[in-house]
Amino acid sequence: MRTYPMNSQASSPEKRKTRSLTFELVEQLSAEIQKGTLISGQKLPTEAAIMARFGVSRTVVREAISKLQAGGLVQTRHGIGTFVLAQTDTPAFRVNPNQLSTLHDVIALLELRISVETEAAALAAVRRTESNLRVMQEAMVAFSNAIEEGRDAVAADFQFHHEIARATQNTHFADMMNSLGAQSIPRARLETTRTLDADRLAYLRRVHQEHESILNAIAAQEAESARAAMRTHLSNSRDRHKKGLSSHH
């Protein structure tokens, strides 16, 4: 349910298809970077090669690379090419991916995200632009499409949170989300299964509803509601992982 009108041009079937393909390509390339198929410092294939391999247009490839840059996964050097970022190439605040391999570490990072992103949501509600709202809505649609197609939607999830940071109009929030990267989404680290069982699907649908509550509050420019919705969302994730921790003892 949207609380603001979408630009008719922005939501045309052709543009929606381009966005969906873009997020699919982002997810596939992100997964290859996370698995080490594409390693730090490696140059990405040319636009033409990516177009041929995935059967997508140049526009989709360019938009996907732009989103990978926003997520701190790649860097484009003009006239040379686009390279997978090494950990040391990213901003000074950095969470080592090795730290995210245990439930303890995932819970610790969620505590940090609660403190930062709760305030970011409140600021975003006050300062967001129509463009920010459109990107958040696109990420929501991509998230929904991904889970219905049996994918875990990590890229779309991160894009949603990253755009809220950008909507604060304070570059420090966006820089911090960049440095955390998509690895800050707990299931990017802990859950390796690629198939969604009924419980997991129900959980992801609940996450989607929580995202919707956050977006509606930001769209309505209700700072306190946005703050509360973000705190609920991230606290639910933290509590879910704490239950997993206690079941391991």
Side-chain angles (χ1 to χ4, degrees):
M1 184 172 135
R2 297 192 191 114
T3 55
Y4 57 93
M6 288 292 287
N7 178 313
S8 59
Q9 181 186 9
S11 57
S12 69
E14 187 179 336
K15 291 217 170 195
R16 282 200 301 271
K17 186 181 176 194
T18 297
R19 285 199 296 264
S20 177
L21 289 171
T22 298
F23 275 103
E24 280 184 35
L25 182 54
V26 168
E27 286 218 333
Q28 287 168 313
L29 292 174
S30 297
E32 292 191 8
I33 290 170
Q34 286 160 12
K35 284 187 298 189
T37 309
L38 290 168
I39 59 170
S40 296
Q42 183 176 344
K43 187 176 176 180
L44 286 188
T46 62
E47 285 182 359
I50 297 175
M51 287 164 62
R53 180 182 166 196
F54 293 99
V56 293
S57 69
R58 191 174 299 275
T59 300
V60 168
V61 173
R62 286 183 174 170
E63 288 186 8
I65 287 174
S66 173
K67 291 185 189 307
L68 288 171
Q69 285 174 319
L73 292 173
V74 302
Q75 180 182 60
T76 297
R77 297 171 197 161
H78 294 292
I80 305 173
T82 300
F83 297 82
V84 178
L85 272 180
Q87 301 303 322
T88 52
D89 292 342
T90 45
F93 178 86
R94 187 68 202 168
V95 175
N96 184 329
N98 296 332
Q99 290 177 286
L100 302 183
S101 58
T102 70
L103 269 172
H104 281 288
D105 298 321
V106 165
I107 292 164
L109 182 57
L110 279 165
E111 287 177 355
L112 174 69
R113 289 184 60 202
I114 288 167
S115 65
V116 173
E117 293 189 61
T118 296
E119 195 58 31
L123 291 172
V126 177
R127 301 174 183 169
R128 91 292 184 281
T129 65
E130 289 301 312
S131 174
N132 291 139
L133 289 177
R134 272 198 299 275
V135 176
M136 288 177 215
Q137 184 67 37
E138 287 165 16
M140 292 270 296
V141 171
F143 188 103
S144 181
N145 290 344
I147 60 176
E148 297 311 321
E149 291 163 14
R151 292 180 286 114
D152 63 10
V154 167
D157 196 336
F158 179 71
Q159 180 73 15
F160 179 76
H161 284 271
H162 185 258
E163 192 60 27
I164 290 171
R166 288 185 62 214
T168 65
Q169 314 306 329
N170 176 337
T171 57
H172 295 299
F173 282 98
D175 287 347
M176 185 169 180
M177 287 303 290
N178 270 349
S179 69
L180 292 176
Q183 297 286 331
S184 61
I185 305 297
R187 54 187 191 281
R189 296 298 305 173
L190 294 178
E191 300 166 16
T192 54
T193 175
R194 301 301 294 174
T195 55
L196 301 184
D197 59 26
D199 286 347
R200 192 160 153 77
L201 192 57
Y203 168 70
L204 289 173
R205 284 183 174 144
R206 193 161 70 249
V207 168
H208 184 64
Q209 289 171 344
E210 290 170 5
H211 283 175
E212 194 164 53
S213 297
I214 296 166
L215 176 61
N216 286 341
I218 290 173
Q221 295 194 292
E222 294 173 357
E224 286 306 318
S225 297
R227 187 182 269 125
M230 179 64 83
R231 180 173 289 280
T232 296
H233 172 51
L234 293 176
S235 297
N236 283 348
S237 182
R238 177 201 58 199
D239 294 346
R240 174 175 178 257
H241 289 94
K242 275 188 173 175
K243 279 182 192 162
L245 192 62
S246 61
S247 71
H248 282 80
H249 290 307

